[in-house]
Amino acid sequence: MASYLVTGGAGFIGSHLASELVRRGHRVRVVDSLITGKRRNLAHIPQVEFIEGDLAQAGVAERAVDGMDYVLHQAAIPSVPRSVHDPIASNRANIDASLNVLVAARDARVKRLVYAGSSSAYGDTPTLPKREDMPTNPLSPYALQKLVAEQYCHLFTRLYGLETVTIRYFNVFGPRQDPGSPYSGVISLFSTALLEARPPIIYGDGEQTRDFTYVANVVDGVLRACEAPSASGEVINVATGGRISLNELLRTMNRIVGTDIKATYGPARAGDVRDSQADIRKARAVLGYEPIVDLESGLRETLAWCRSEATTSAPR
Ligand code: UD1
């Protein structure tokens, strides 16, 4: 049994990491500001120790990291458009807080810190699929902030010997992804729209593509990154290696739900990337990673969860 801190553990991806760690018999502590996270995401795992606090305050980061073997740093204010509207708030959450976590992890001599990086770092560079050694080209404050924090991780490994690994996530989706804001991930928004028989909104022509990754794949990749002997100091894509357009995604989701609801089209979003697809050879080589849940199975799980939420929970 080892001890794991999951920062942002009351959020979507963080709560899945916490669940899996508990299932494997580990000790889990979560720190979360509850700005986007929710206590109820952890209701099914009461054995998790919970600290409510803002990691942009150094004392919170120190208290959270104290006594931990591993730090899974997931806390962030996600969303490209949200960062375009409010770059200062997202900078504080995505960079200041990350630096505090790194300093605290260094001082507490944790075994390894695994950081939630983002595919947005690649921006609109022309070559697909994206390989980790390709140049970066952030197109939004969010993308830049995620890239700065990953470079801080790398620097902390070189300068202080703190073991860090950056996993670049590619459009993660699944149960517990909150559909309650216009900044929510597109699959959560499409799911609720279809289940409520409303037309989803597509920004742009819908021909932009993404490597949508079911959350269980990411959990597997991150937990492998804690242990993989040669992963420290590395940046590694974790995704499926495929890509699908939003128009095709909507057709697939309509087919699963048994509907034929057309989208409403709106203007393309500022800072939006056109195409995104991961090269996952490095994850295979360094982590022994292989995607375990494909897009369609993941969509079915997600839609089933959205359906059960609609019938069992209070209005969102
Ligand atoms: C980006 C990152 C992703 C990161 C996420 C955090 C890229 C390629 N991906 O995701 O790694 O985790 O930020 O928020 O940069 N859209 C619609 N209708 C909607 C909502 C979205 O058409 O109602 C479109 C967006 O304009 C975009 C696509 O769907 O083209 C995906 O959007 P979203 O789910 O918000 O994620 P990204 O911004 O791609």
Side-chain angles (χ1 to χ4, degrees), residues 79 118-120 169 171 186 201-203 208 210 246 272:
S79 170
S118 170
S119 61
S120 57
Y169 298 167
N171 289 77
V186 68
I201 301 169
I202 289 184
Y203 299 112
Q208 66 268 50
R210 293 290 184 273
L246 290 191
D272 213 34

Side-chain angles (χ1 to χ4, degrees), residues 2-10 14 18 21-22 26-32 42 47-52 60-72:
S3 54
Y4 288 76
L5 171 69
V6 185
T7 74
L21 287 167
V22 166
H26 295 296
R27 176 178 164 217
V28 181
R29 179 184 292 160
V30 159
V31 60
D32 201 297
L42 297 171
Q47 53 277 69
V48 166
E49 179 191 347
F50 183 76
I51 299 175
E52 181 175 344
V60 173
E62 279 162 30
R63 194 153 62 90
V65 167
D66 185 47
M68 294 287 116
D69 296 316
Y70 297 99
V71 174
L72 309 183

Side-chain angles (χ1 to χ4, degrees), residues 304-316:
W305 176 82
C306 288
R307 235 185 237 113
S308 71
E309 279 292 281
T311 50
T312 59
S313 61
R316 279 186 288 256

Side-chain angles (χ1 to χ4, degrees), residues 64-87:
V65 167
D66 185 47
M68 294 287 116
D69 296 316
Y70 297 99
V71 174
L72 309 183
H73 180 37
Q74 312 298 305
I77 293 189
S79 170
V80 167
R82 187 168 177 156
S83 77
V84 173
H85 292 139
D86 191 354

